[in-house]
Amino acid sequence: MSNLLIRTEQLVAGWQQPATAPLDLRLSSGQILGLTGPNGVGKSTILGALTGRAKIFSGEIDLRPNLRLALQAQDAPPVDGLPLSGKELLALTGASPEGLPPWLLERLDQRLDRLSGGQRHYLSLWAILQAPADVVLLDEPTNNLDAVGTEHLAIALRQRVAHGAAIILVSHDDAFVSTVCDQVLVLKGASHVG
Amino acid sequence: MWDDIFLIPFLTGLCLALALPILGCFLRLRDEWLAALAYAHVAAAGALLALVGGMAPAIGGMGAAALAGAGKRFFSKRLAGGAAFALMLLGGWALAVLLAANQPLAERLGHALFDGQLYFSGSDNLYFVLPWCLFSIPLLAWLSRQLLLARIYPDYFHAQHLPAWPVLSGFDLLAALTLALATMTLGVMGGFALVFVPPWIVFRRARSWHSGLLLSSLIGSVGYVAAFAIALGLDQPFGPVLALLLIAVGLLIA
Protein backbone atom coordinates (compact mmCIF):
# COMPACT_ATOMS: atom_id res chain seq x y z
CA MET A 1 0.00 0.00 0.00
CA SER A 2 1.57 3.29 -1.06
CA ASN A 3 0.48 5.31 1.98
CA LEU A 4 1.54 2.71 4.53
CA LEU A 5 3.48 4.50 7.28
CA ILE A 6 4.13 1.83 9.92
CA ARG A 7 4.11 -1.94 9.78
CA THR A 8 5.03 -4.35 12.56
CA GLU A 9 5.44 -8.09 12.18
CA GLN A 10 5.20 -10.26 15.29
CA LEU A 11 6.67 -7.42 17.31
CA VAL A 12 7.62 -8.28 20.90
CA ALA A 13 8.90 -5.25 22.83
CA GLY A 14 9.81 -4.45 26.40
CA TRP A 15 12.22 -2.57 28.62
CA GLN A 16 14.37 -5.05 30.57
CA GLN A 17 12.35 -8.06 29.40
CA PRO A 18 9.60 -8.81 26.86
CA ALA A 19 6.40 -7.00 27.89
CA THR A 20 4.09 -7.56 24.92
CA ALA A 21 2.64 -10.45 23.00
CA PRO A 22 3.59 -10.61 19.30
CA LEU A 23 1.86 -7.73 17.51
CA ASP A 24 1.01 -7.28 13.83
CA LEU A 25 0.07 -3.71 13.06
CA ARG A 26 -0.56 -1.65 9.92
CA LEU A 27 -0.99 2.10 9.94
CA SER A 28 -1.68 4.20 6.88
CA SER A 29 -2.01 7.95 6.50
CA GLY A 30 -5.42 9.32 7.34
CA GLN A 31 -6.05 6.54 9.86
CA ILE A 32 -6.56 6.54 13.64
CA LEU A 33 -5.60 3.27 15.28
CA GLY A 34 -6.64 2.59 18.86
CA LEU A 35 -4.67 0.35 21.21
CA THR A 36 -6.65 -0.73 24.26
CA GLY A 37 -6.50 -3.47 26.86
CA PRO A 38 -5.92 -3.89 30.57
CA ASN A 39 -2.95 -2.50 32.48
CA GLY A 40 0.33 -4.30 31.92
CA VAL A 41 -0.25 -5.67 28.41
CA GLY A 42 2.34 -3.26 27.01
CA LYS A 43 0.34 -0.55 25.25
CA SER A 44 2.76 2.23 26.17
CA THR A 45 5.67 -0.13 25.50
CA ILE A 46 4.52 -0.44 21.88
CA LEU A 47 4.70 3.36 21.55
CA GLY A 48 8.14 3.24 23.16
CA ALA A 49 9.29 0.64 20.63
CA LEU A 50 8.00 2.71 17.71
CA THR A 51 10.02 5.71 18.89
CA GLY A 52 13.14 3.61 19.49
CA ARG A 53 13.14 3.86 23.28
CA ALA A 54 11.89 0.38 24.20
CA LYS A 55 13.84 -2.71 23.22
CA ILE A 56 12.66 -4.99 20.43
CA PHE A 57 13.06 -8.62 21.53
CA SER A 58 11.71 -10.24 18.39
CA GLY A 59 9.79 -9.41 15.25
CA GLU A 60 10.32 -6.20 13.34
CA ILE A 61 9.16 -2.65 12.80
CA ASP A 62 9.14 -1.03 9.37
CA LEU A 63 8.80 2.73 9.34
CA ARG A 64 8.44 4.63 6.08
CA PRO A 65 11.77 6.33 5.34
CA ASN A 66 12.08 9.79 6.93
CA LEU A 67 8.91 9.23 8.92
CA ARG A 68 8.37 12.00 11.47
CA LEU A 69 6.88 10.85 14.76
CA ALA A 70 5.51 12.89 17.63
CA LEU A 71 4.84 11.29 21.00
CA GLN A 72 2.69 12.50 23.87
CA ALA A 73 3.65 10.43 26.89
CA GLN A 74 1.40 9.79 29.87
CA ASP A 75 3.58 11.74 32.29
CA ALA A 76 2.71 15.41 32.57
CA PRO A 77 5.50 17.68 31.30
CA PRO A 78 7.50 19.09 34.24
CA VAL A 79 6.48 22.74 34.03
CA ASP A 80 5.85 23.55 37.71
CA GLY A 81 7.94 26.56 38.66
CA LEU A 82 9.07 27.08 35.07
CA PRO A 83 8.42 30.49 33.48
CA LEU A 84 7.15 29.11 30.17
CA SER A 85 4.04 30.50 28.48
CA GLY A 86 1.54 28.51 26.45
CA LYS A 87 2.58 30.35 23.32
CA GLU A 88 6.22 29.38 23.91
CA LEU A 89 5.25 25.75 24.47
CA LEU A 90 3.51 25.59 21.08
CA ALA A 91 6.48 27.31 19.41
CA LEU A 92 8.80 24.63 20.82
CA THR A 93 7.16 21.86 18.82
CA GLY A 94 6.12 24.06 15.91
CA ALA A 95 2.42 23.58 16.67
CA SER A 96 -0.09 26.14 15.45
CA PRO A 97 -2.57 27.59 17.95
CA GLU A 98 -5.20 27.64 15.20
CA GLY A 99 -8.12 25.45 16.21
CA LEU A 100 -7.53 25.66 19.96
CA PRO A 101 -10.70 26.05 22.02
CA PRO A 102 -11.44 29.64 23.10
CA TRP A 103 -10.91 28.76 26.77
CA LEU A 104 -7.27 28.06 25.95
CA LEU A 105 -6.64 30.62 23.23
CA GLU A 106 -7.23 33.47 25.66
CA ARG A 107 -4.72 32.00 28.12
CA LEU A 108 -1.81 31.41 25.75
CA ASP A 109 0.22 34.26 27.22
CA GLN A 110 -0.03 32.85 30.74
CA ARG A 111 2.59 30.66 32.33
CA LEU A 112 1.74 26.98 32.10
CA ASP A 113 2.01 26.52 35.85
CA ARG A 114 -0.70 29.16 36.33
CA LEU A 115 -3.21 27.11 34.30
CA SER A 116 -5.50 24.43 35.71
CA GLY A 117 -4.39 20.81 35.40
CA GLY A 118 -6.87 20.16 32.58
CA GLN A 119 -5.90 23.30 30.65
CA ARG A 120 -2.21 22.48 31.00
CA HIS A 121 -2.77 18.90 29.88
CA TYR A 122 -4.75 19.93 26.83
CA LEU A 123 -2.15 22.49 25.79
CA SER A 124 0.70 19.98 26.23
CA LEU A 125 -1.30 17.51 24.18
CA TRP A 126 -2.04 20.11 21.51
CA ALA A 127 1.65 20.97 21.20
CA ILE A 128 2.31 17.36 20.21
CA LEU A 129 -0.87 16.76 18.21
CA GLN A 130 -0.25 19.77 15.97
CA ALA A 131 3.53 19.36 15.71
CA PRO A 132 4.85 18.77 12.18
CA ALA A 133 4.69 14.96 12.11
CA ASP A 134 3.44 12.15 9.90
CA VAL A 135 2.37 9.95 12.81
CA VAL A 136 1.20 11.19 16.20
CA LEU A 137 1.39 8.77 19.13
CA LEU A 138 -0.91 9.64 22.02
CA ASP A 139 -0.79 7.86 25.38
CA GLU A 140 -3.99 8.25 27.41
CA PRO A 141 -4.83 11.67 25.95
CA THR A 142 -8.20 11.96 27.71
CA ASN A 143 -6.67 11.83 31.20
CA ASN A 144 -7.52 15.04 33.10
CA LEU A 145 -9.92 16.22 30.39
CA ASP A 146 -13.53 17.09 31.13
CA ALA A 147 -16.38 16.31 28.73
CA VAL A 148 -15.90 19.54 26.77
CA GLY A 149 -12.17 18.92 26.38
CA THR A 150 -12.72 15.30 25.32
CA GLU A 151 -15.28 16.36 22.72
CA HIS A 152 -12.95 19.02 21.33
CA LEU A 153 -10.10 16.51 21.22
CA ALA A 154 -12.18 14.03 19.20
CA ILE A 155 -12.86 16.72 16.58
CA ALA A 156 -9.20 17.80 16.54
CA LEU A 157 -8.02 14.21 15.97
CA ARG A 158 -10.34 13.79 13.00
CA GLN A 159 -9.17 17.10 11.53
CA ARG A 160 -5.53 16.11 12.00
CA VAL A 161 -5.88 12.88 10.04
CA ALA A 162 -7.99 14.62 7.42
CA HIS A 163 -4.82 16.57 6.60
CA GLY A 164 -2.86 13.37 5.92
CA ALA A 165 -1.36 12.42 9.28
CA ALA A 166 -2.02 9.16 11.11
CA ILE A 167 -2.56 8.63 14.82
CA ILE A 168 -2.00 5.77 17.22
CA LEU A 169 -4.04 6.23 20.34
CA VAL A 170 -3.50 4.31 23.58
CA SER A 171 -6.46 4.68 25.92
CA HIS A 172 -8.53 3.07 28.64
CA ASP A 173 -11.48 5.21 27.55
CA ASP A 174 -13.40 2.68 25.45
CA ALA A 175 -16.13 5.14 24.52
CA PHE A 176 -13.61 7.67 23.23
CA VAL A 177 -11.67 5.01 21.33
CA SER A 178 -14.76 3.65 19.63
CA THR A 179 -15.86 7.19 18.70
CA VAL A 180 -12.64 8.39 17.05
CA CYS A 181 -10.74 5.31 15.88
CA ASP A 182 -10.97 3.69 12.47
CA GLN A 183 -9.44 0.49 13.77
CA VAL A 184 -8.97 -0.86 17.30
CA LEU A 185 -6.51 -3.45 18.54
CA VAL A 186 -7.36 -4.90 21.94
CA LEU A 187 -4.13 -6.11 23.54
CA LYS A 188 -4.72 -9.05 25.83
CA GLY A 189 -1.25 -10.14 26.71
CA ALA A 190 -1.23 -13.38 24.75
CA SER A 191 -3.19 -12.37 21.65
CA HIS A 192 -4.89 -9.40 20.02
CA VAL A 193 -8.42 -9.07 18.74
CA GLY A 194 -8.68 -6.75 15.72
CA MET B 1 37.14 54.25 39.87
CA TRP B 2 37.56 54.27 36.12
CA ASP B 3 41.31 53.96 36.05
CA ASP B 4 42.54 50.98 34.07
CA ILE B 5 43.28 49.18 37.28
CA PHE B 6 39.55 49.03 38.01
CA LEU B 7 38.09 49.37 34.52
CA ILE B 8 39.45 46.08 33.23
CA PRO B 9 38.22 44.03 36.20
CA PHE B 10 34.88 45.87 35.98
CA LEU B 11 34.39 45.09 32.29
CA THR B 12 35.52 41.50 32.73
CA GLY B 13 33.04 40.96 35.54
CA LEU B 14 30.27 42.77 33.65
CA CYS B 15 30.56 40.35 30.72
CA LEU B 16 30.11 37.47 33.14
CA ALA B 17 27.30 39.24 35.00
CA LEU B 18 25.37 39.33 31.70
CA ALA B 19 26.12 35.72 30.74
CA LEU B 20 26.05 33.79 34.03
CA PRO B 21 22.39 34.47 34.91
CA ILE B 22 21.33 33.20 31.47
CA LEU B 23 23.43 30.09 31.93
CA GLY B 24 21.89 29.74 35.39
CA CYS B 25 18.37 29.71 33.89
CA PHE B 26 19.30 26.70 31.77
CA LEU B 27 21.00 24.96 34.70
CA ARG B 28 17.87 25.53 36.78
CA LEU B 29 15.70 24.28 33.91
CA ARG B 30 17.70 21.04 34.00
CA ASP B 31 17.67 20.86 37.82
CA GLU B 32 21.44 21.23 37.67
CA TRP B 33 22.02 24.43 39.65
CA LEU B 34 24.45 22.52 41.86
CA ALA B 35 26.63 22.28 38.74
CA ALA B 36 27.66 25.88 39.27
CA LEU B 37 29.33 25.07 42.56
CA ALA B 38 30.67 21.77 41.28
CA TYR B 39 32.40 23.15 38.18
CA ALA B 40 33.68 26.13 40.19
CA HIS B 41 35.40 23.84 42.72
CA VAL B 42 36.79 21.60 39.99
CA ALA B 43 38.10 24.69 38.17
CA ALA B 44 39.68 25.98 41.39
CA ALA B 45 41.41 22.64 41.97
CA GLY B 46 42.57 22.53 38.34
CA ALA B 47 43.95 26.06 38.59
CA LEU B 48 45.91 25.27 41.74
CA LEU B 49 47.17 22.01 40.28
CA ALA B 50 48.38 23.85 37.18
CA LEU B 51 50.09 26.49 39.29
CA VAL B 52 51.94 23.85 41.28
CA GLY B 53 52.89 22.12 38.03
CA GLY B 54 54.30 25.33 36.57
CA MET B 55 51.45 25.98 34.12
CA ALA B 56 49.05 28.91 33.76
CA PRO B 57 46.24 28.55 36.35
CA ALA B 58 43.59 29.62 33.82
CA ILE B 59 44.49 26.72 31.53
CA GLY B 60 44.42 24.25 34.42
CA GLY B 61 41.08 25.57 35.66
CA MET B 62 39.38 25.49 32.29
CA GLY B 63 40.91 22.15 31.38
CA ALA B 64 39.74 20.50 34.59
CA ALA B 65 36.22 21.92 34.28
CA ALA B 66 35.98 20.96 30.60
CA LEU B 67 37.13 17.44 31.41
CA ALA B 68 34.54 17.16 34.19
CA GLY B 69 31.76 18.56 31.97
CA ALA B 70 32.53 16.32 29.03
CA GLY B 71 33.27 13.27 31.16
CA LYS B 72 30.19 13.25 33.36
CA ARG B 73 28.00 11.69 30.66
CA PHE B 74 30.20 8.57 30.68
CA PHE B 75 29.21 7.96 34.29
CA SER B 76 25.62 9.19 34.00
CA LYS B 77 24.01 5.84 34.91
CA ARG B 78 26.10 5.47 38.06
CA LEU B 79 25.87 9.14 38.99
CA ALA B 80 22.18 9.92 38.46
CA GLY B 81 20.18 12.39 40.55
CA GLY B 82 22.84 15.10 40.79
CA ALA B 83 25.39 12.76 42.39
CA ALA B 84 27.93 13.70 39.70
CA PHE B 85 27.87 17.35 40.77
CA ALA B 86 28.03 16.55 44.48
CA LEU B 87 31.08 14.34 43.92
CA MET B 88 32.74 16.95 41.70
CA LEU B 89 32.16 19.58 44.36
CA LEU B 90 33.60 17.42 47.13
CA GLY B 91 36.53 16.23 45.04
CA GLY B 92 37.38 19.72 43.79
CA TRP B 93 37.13 21.24 47.23
CA ALA B 94 39.24 18.49 48.85
CA LEU B 95 41.98 18.70 46.24
CA ALA B 96 42.05 22.50 46.32
CA VAL B 97 42.29 22.66 50.12
CA LEU B 98 45.01 19.99 50.23
CA LEU B 99 47.04 21.79 47.56
CA ALA B 100 46.66 25.14 49.32
CA ALA B 101 47.64 23.57 52.64
CA ASN B 102 50.77 21.88 51.31
CA GLN B 103 52.04 24.22 48.60
CA PRO B 104 52.85 27.81 49.62
CA LEU B 105 52.53 28.83 45.97
CA ALA B 106 48.98 27.55 45.85
CA GLU B 107 47.89 29.04 49.15
CA ARG B 108 47.59 32.64 47.93
CA LEU B 109 45.77 31.76 44.74
CA GLY B 110 43.51 29.42 46.71
CA HIS B 111 42.46 32.25 48.99
CA ALA B 112 41.88 34.51 46.00
CA LEU B 113 39.72 31.93 44.24
CA PHE B 114 37.58 31.14 47.26
CA ASP B 115 37.32 34.73 48.55
CA GLY B 116 36.55 36.35 45.20
CA GLN B 117 39.41 38.24 43.56
CA LEU B 118 37.76 40.39 40.94
CA TYR B 119 40.09 43.37 41.41
CA PHE B 120 43.08 41.22 40.48
CA SER B 121 41.63 40.33 37.07
CA GLY B 122 43.91 41.58 34.37
CA SER B 123 43.56 42.17 30.67
CA ASP B 124 44.44 38.49 30.10
CA ASN B 125 41.15 37.55 31.75
CA LEU B 126 39.22 40.08 29.68
CA TYR B 127 40.68 38.70 26.45
CA PHE B 128 39.34 35.28 27.42
CA VAL B 129 36.04 36.38 28.94
CA LEU B 130 34.79 38.91 26.38
CA PRO B 131 34.96 36.68 23.29
CA TRP B 132 33.71 33.73 25.30
CA CYS B 133 30.62 35.66 26.44
CA LEU B 134 30.04 36.99 22.93
CA PHE B 135 30.13 33.37 21.77
CA SER B 136 28.25 31.67 24.60
CA ILE B 137 25.23 33.99 24.93
CA PRO B 138 24.09 33.56 21.29
CA LEU B 139 24.93 29.85 21.53
CA LEU B 140 22.68 29.49 24.57
CA ALA B 141 19.91 31.33 22.72
CA TRP B 142 20.36 28.92 19.82
CA LEU B 143 20.32 25.86 22.11
CA SER B 144 17.32 27.18 24.03
CA ARG B 145 14.63 25.36 22.03
CA GLN B 146 16.49 22.05 22.11
CA LEU B 147 17.19 22.28 25.84
CA LEU B 148 13.56 23.15 26.60
CA LEU B 149 12.36 20.27 24.42
CA ALA B 150 14.76 17.85 26.12
CA ARG B 151 13.32 18.86 29.48
CA ILE B 152 9.61 19.17 28.67
CA TYR B 153 9.27 16.45 26.04
CA PRO B 154 12.18 14.09 26.79
CA ASP B 155 10.89 11.67 24.14
CA TYR B 156 11.03 14.31 21.41
CA PHE B 157 14.52 13.39 20.20
CA HIS B 158 13.76 9.67 20.21
CA ALA B 159 10.51 10.21 18.33
CA GLN B 160 12.25 12.31 15.68
CA HIS B 161 15.12 9.77 15.57
CA LEU B 162 17.53 12.57 16.45
CA PRO B 163 20.47 12.15 18.85
CA ALA B 164 20.08 14.28 21.99
CA TRP B 165 23.67 13.88 23.17
CA PRO B 166 25.27 16.59 20.99
CA VAL B 167 22.94 19.19 22.48
CA LEU B 168 23.28 17.94 26.06
CA SER B 169 27.03 17.34 25.94
CA GLY B 170 27.55 20.65 24.18
CA PHE B 171 25.64 22.39 26.94
CA ASP B 172 27.65 20.57 29.65
CA LEU B 173 30.88 21.71 28.06
CA LEU B 174 29.65 25.27 27.63
CA ALA B 175 28.53 25.39 31.27
CA ALA B 176 31.81 23.94 32.53
CA LEU B 177 33.99 26.39 30.59
CA THR B 178 31.85 29.43 31.44
CA LEU B 179 31.87 28.54 35.13
CA ALA B 180 35.62 27.95 35.06
CA LEU B 181 36.13 31.43 33.60
CA ALA B 182 33.77 32.87 36.21
CA THR B 183 35.72 31.17 39.00
CA MET B 184 39.00 32.58 37.69
CA THR B 185 37.47 36.05 37.54
CA LEU B 186 34.83 36.41 40.27
CA GLY B 187 35.84 33.62 42.61
CA VAL B 188 33.82 30.53 43.50
CA MET B 189 30.98 32.18 45.40
CA GLY B 190 30.79 35.37 43.34
CA GLY B 191 30.17 33.26 40.24
CA PHE B 192 27.72 31.03 42.07
CA ALA B 193 25.70 34.03 43.28
CA LEU B 194 25.22 35.22 39.69
CA VAL B 195 24.32 31.75 38.44
CA PHE B 196 21.87 30.98 41.22
CA VAL B 197 20.07 34.10 42.49
CA PRO B 198 18.82 35.89 39.32
CA PRO B 199 17.39 32.65 37.83
CA TRP B 200 15.76 31.84 41.17
CA ILE B 201 14.01 35.23 41.09
CA VAL B 202 12.83 35.01 37.49
CA PHE B 203 11.62 31.42 37.75
CA ARG B 204 9.23 32.74 40.39
CA ARG B 205 8.31 36.03 38.75
CA ALA B 206 8.80 36.02 34.97
CA ARG B 207 5.79 35.70 32.66
CA SER B 208 7.61 33.78 29.96
CA TRP B 209 10.89 32.06 29.19
CA HIS B 210 12.25 34.79 26.93
CA SER B 211 11.35 37.61 29.29
CA GLY B 212 12.86 35.52 32.09
CA LEU B 213 16.21 35.24 30.31
CA LEU B 214 16.33 39.00 29.72
CA LEU B 215 15.23 39.84 33.24
CA SER B 216 17.74 37.43 34.70
CA SER B 217 20.59 39.04 32.81
CA LEU B 218 19.35 42.49 33.81
CA ILE B 219 19.18 41.58 37.52
CA GLY B 220 22.66 40.07 37.33
CA SER B 221 24.26 43.04 35.63
CA VAL B 222 22.53 45.72 37.76
CA GLY B 223 23.37 43.77 40.92
CA TYR B 224 26.93 43.41 39.74
CA VAL B 225 27.39 47.13 39.03
CA ALA B 226 25.88 48.06 42.40
CA ALA B 227 28.03 45.52 44.24
CA PHE B 228 31.16 46.71 42.45
CA ALA B 229 30.50 50.31 43.45
CA ILE B 230 29.64 49.43 47.07
CA ALA B 231 32.62 47.11 47.52
CA LEU B 232 34.99 49.64 46.03
CA GLY B 233 33.51 52.56 47.96
CA LEU B 234 33.56 50.75 51.28
CA ASP B 235 36.81 48.89 50.58
CA GLN B 236 35.22 45.49 51.05
CA PRO B 237 35.86 42.16 49.27
CA PHE B 238 33.69 42.01 46.14
CA GLY B 239 32.31 38.44 46.29
CA PRO B 240 30.55 38.68 49.67
CA VAL B 241 29.10 42.12 48.85
CA LEU B 242 27.67 40.78 45.57
CA ALA B 243 26.22 37.72 47.29
CA LEU B 244 24.57 39.74 50.07
CA LEU B 245 23.17 42.29 47.63
CA LEU B 246 21.66 39.62 45.37
CA ILE B 247 20.22 37.77 48.36
CA ALA B 248 18.57 41.00 49.57
CA VAL B 249 17.12 41.69 46.11
CA GLY B 250 15.95 38.12 45.86
CA LEU B 251 14.20 38.10 49.22
CA LEU B 252 12.57 41.40 48.35
CA ILE B 253 11.08 40.50 44.97
CA ALA B 254 11.11 36.72 44.54
Side-chain angles (χ1 to χ4, degrees):
Chain A
M1 199 183 297
S2 61
N3 61 352
L4 187 67
L5 302 175
I6 296 177
R7 180 183 67 87
T8 73
E9 289 287 346
Q10 295 293 293
L11 171 66
V12 176
W15 303 100
Q16 278 78 39
Q17 56 192 23
T20 68
L23 174 68
D24 292 330
L25 177 156
R26 304 280 183 279
L27 183 73
S28 301
S29 56
Q31 196 180 24
I32 302 180
L33 170 66
L35 292 182
T36 68
N39 288 337
V41 292
K43 301 185 296 292
S44 300
T45 307
I46 294 294
L47 300 188
L50 292 173
T51 56
R53 264 193 331 124
K55 193 173 169 186
I56 298 170
F57 286 90
S58 62
E60 62 182 51
I61 297 176
D62 281 337
L63 302 180
R64 194 195 71 186
N66 302 319
L67 188 74
R68 296 170 304 166
L69 297 169
L71 169 67
Q72 174 253 331
Q74 259 189 79
D75 301 331
V79 294
D80 276 335
L82 182 67
L84 188 74
S85 70
K87 204 176 274 180
E88 287 174 322
L89 178 78
L90 297 185
L92 279 183
T93 62
S96 165
E98 198 179 324
L100 268 174
W103 43 269
L104 269 179
L105 263 179
E106 63 197 24
R107 291 177 172 82
L108 277 184
D109 287 324
Q110 288 185 24
R111 281 172 61 138
L112 292 169
D113 60 355
R114 306 280 197 263
L115 300 177
S116 73
Q119 290 167 341
R120 199 185 312 176
H121 174 78
Y122 199 86
L123 208 50
S124 308
L125 178 60
W126 189 267
I128 292 297
L129 180 63
Q130 300 299 339
D134 305 303
V135 177
V136 181
L137 310 172
L138 302 176
D139 199 349
E140 302 290 355
T142 55
N143 280 359
N144 291 324
L145 292 186
D146 59 12
V148 176
T150 304
E151 193 179 330
H152 192 276
L153 176 63
I155 296 166
L157 295 186
R158 293 310 320 177
Q159 287 175 342
R160 189 73 175 88
V161 294
H163 288 91
I167 293 171
I168 298 181
L169 177 69
V170 164
S171 180
H172 281 104
D173 188 339
D174 291 338
F176 182 75
V177 168
S178 60
T179 302
V180 301
C181 293
D182 304 302
Q183 187 191 352
V184 179
L185 286 178
V186 183
L187 277 61
K188 291 185 173 175
S191 61
H192 317 296
V193 180
Chain B
M1 172 175 173
W2 299 110
D3 294 341
D4 269 5
I5 194 170
F6 293 122
L7 184 60
I8 287 174
F10 174 78
L11 292 176
T12 311
L14 185 60
C15 293
L16 289 165
L18 289 164
L20 288 175
I22 296 175
L23 175 66
C25 287
F26 288 97
L27 288 170
R28 197 171 184 85
L29 167 74
R30 288 161 52 81
D31 279 339
E32 288 184 342
W33 59 266
L34 188 60
L37 270 183
Y39 288 130
H41 279 81
V42 169
L48 297 181
L49 204 57
L51 187 71
V52 170
M55 292 165 60
I59 291 173
M62 293 184 69
L67 207 60
K72 95 177 167 66
R73 296 195 69 76
F74 294 111
F75 302 97
S76 58
K77 280 188 183 160
R78 209 181 306 170
L79 298 174
F85 297 126
L87 294 185
M88 277 187 215
L89 195 162
L90 286 170
W93 167 77
L95 189 59
V97 170
L98 284 173
L99 283 168
N102 291 287
Q103 296 284 339
L105 198 61
E107 190 182 0
R108 191 163 162 262
L109 179 60
H111 278 301
L113 289 173
F114 284 100
D115 293 350
Q117 34 69 294
L118 176 63
Y119 306 129
F120 302 113
S121 291
S123 50
D124 289 356
N125 282 54
L126 184 60
Y127 295 149
F128 267 115
V129 168
L130 178 63
W132 181 256
C133 290
L134 289 174
F135 164 74
S136 62
I137 293 174
L139 184 61
L140 279 172
W142 184 69
L143 286 174
S144 180
R145 177 173 174 263
Q146 313 292 333
L147 291 168
L148 282 164
L149 277 171
R151 175 68 177 164
I152 294 169
Y153 293 115
D155 292 314
Y156 172 85
F157 291 94
H158 274 293
Q160 298 280 324
H161 301 289
L162 297 171
W165 71 264
V167 170
L168 302 180
S169 295
F171 174 75
D172 286 341
L173 195 58
L174 179 77
L177 289 171
T178 307
L179 289 163
L181 275 176
T183 304
M184 303 291 132
T185 308
L186 301 167
V188 171
M189 286 302 168
F192 179 62
L194 284 167
V195 166
F196 181 80
V197 180
W200 165 58
I201 297 170
V202 302
F203 268 56
R204 290 182 56 80
R205 289 290 174 201
R207 290 175 61 88
S208 68
W209 181 251
H210 286 103
S211 68
L213 293 181
L214 291 174
L215 185 62
S216 178
S217 195
L218 183 69
I219 293 170
S221 50
V222 170
Y224 166 81
V225 172
F228 193 93
I230 293 169
L232 199 59
L234 301 178
D235 193 22
Q236 295 298 312
F238 169 76
V241 173
L242 174 67
L244 284 175
L245 189 70
L246 287 177
I247 289 170
V249 171
L251 291 175
L252 205 63
I253 63 175

